[in-house]
Amino acid sequence: MNALDRIDRLILRELQNDGRLSNQELADRVGLSPSPCLRRVRQLEQAGVIEGYRAVVSPKAVDLTITAFVRLRLASHEGATVDAVEKRLRAIPHIVEAHLLAGDWDYLVRIVTPSFEEYERLLREHLRAIPSLSSIDTTFAFGVTKPVSPLPLEPAPGHA
């Protein structure tokens, strides 16, 4: 896909704010007729710019009240070891995000659980069982001051 133009960025901004907009509502907001708007959305999806659509669920509403940010350090950085670690991280449902880091730590993961006891069980049964981990450091979040937000997309200068 070519570089995103002003209209593509407007479409992305609107869909990030409300992924349930009808095509007609989206077209109205970005100044297109419905057919070209739908064509652009489909192109953005096919190009992987739009990776998917999902509902944002309140962790509190589903009793996942504990959020832990966990830093992991590996003892070995061999390719097979890294692949095995990442496969294990992806397989743990309570890990809702995992980031590869540069610096003193190798990974930062965000874990949600219903209780501290459940976090301890997860730590003992899953995290400590990951091969080649040399350190695990946990910080618990007391609250959210800014939830996951839309990417800061500003319309590109120029014409559509």
Side-chain angles (χ1 to χ4, degrees), residues 126-139:
H126 295 283
L127 291 179
R128 289 184 181 161
I130 295 174
S132 294
L133 282 187
S134 66
S135 295
I136 300 172
D137 181 68
T138 302
T139 302

Side-chain angles (χ1 to χ4, degrees), residues 15-30:
L15 286 175
Q16 283 188 109
N17 288 324
D18 184 356
R20 293 186 60 154
L21 285 173
S22 71
N23 184 57
Q24 181 65 59
E25 291 171 314
L26 179 61
D28 291 345
R29 289 185 186 190
V30 301

Side-chain angles (χ1 to χ4, degrees), residues 53 56 63 68 73 118 155:
Y53 301 89
V56 178
D63 296 323
R73 184 177 294 128
E118 179 64 17

Side-chain angles (χ1 to χ4, degrees), residues 3-13 29-32 40 154-160:
L4 301 177
D5 66 14
R6 185 179 65 79
I7 297 294
D8 291 333
R9 288 174 174 274
L10 286 171
I11 289 170
L12 293 171
R13 193 169 60 188
R29 289 185 186 190
V30 301
L32 289 176
R40 280 179 178 255
E154 296 300 323
H159 302 290

Side-chain angles (χ1 to χ4, degrees), residues 10 14 24 30 35 51 73-74 80 110 119-120 132 150 155-156:
L10 286 171
E14 292 298 330
Q24 181 65 59
V30 301
S35 187
E51 295 179 344
R73 184 177 294 128
L74 301 181
R110 182 167 64 101
Y119 174 76
E120 181 182 9
S132 294

Side-chain angles (χ1 to χ4, degrees), residues 34-108:
S35 187
C37 183
L38 183 58
R39 189 169 33 257
R40 280 179 178 255
V41 170
R42 288 197 174 135
Q43 287 172 340
L44 291 165
E45 292 168 348
Q46 290 168 353
V49 177
I50 296 174
E51 295 179 344
Y53 301 89
R54 59 183 56 94
V56 178
V57 177
S58 164
K60 189 179 201 177
V62 293
D63 296 323
L64 293 170
T65 56
I66 304 300
T67 298
F69 290 94
V70 182
R71 289 168 296 282
L72 306 172
R73 184 177 294 128
L74 301 181
S76 168
H77 294 91
E78 294 177 7
T81 300
V82 170
D83 291 344
V85 168
E86 291 180 1
K87 183 177 180 181
R88 296 284 286 273
L89 293 176
R90 286 190 294 272
I92 301 170
H94 288 281
I95 294 178
V96 294
E97 284 184 85
H99 299 270
L100 179 63
L101 302 176
D104 291 338
W105 295 93
D106 295 304
Y107 294 94
L108 175 66

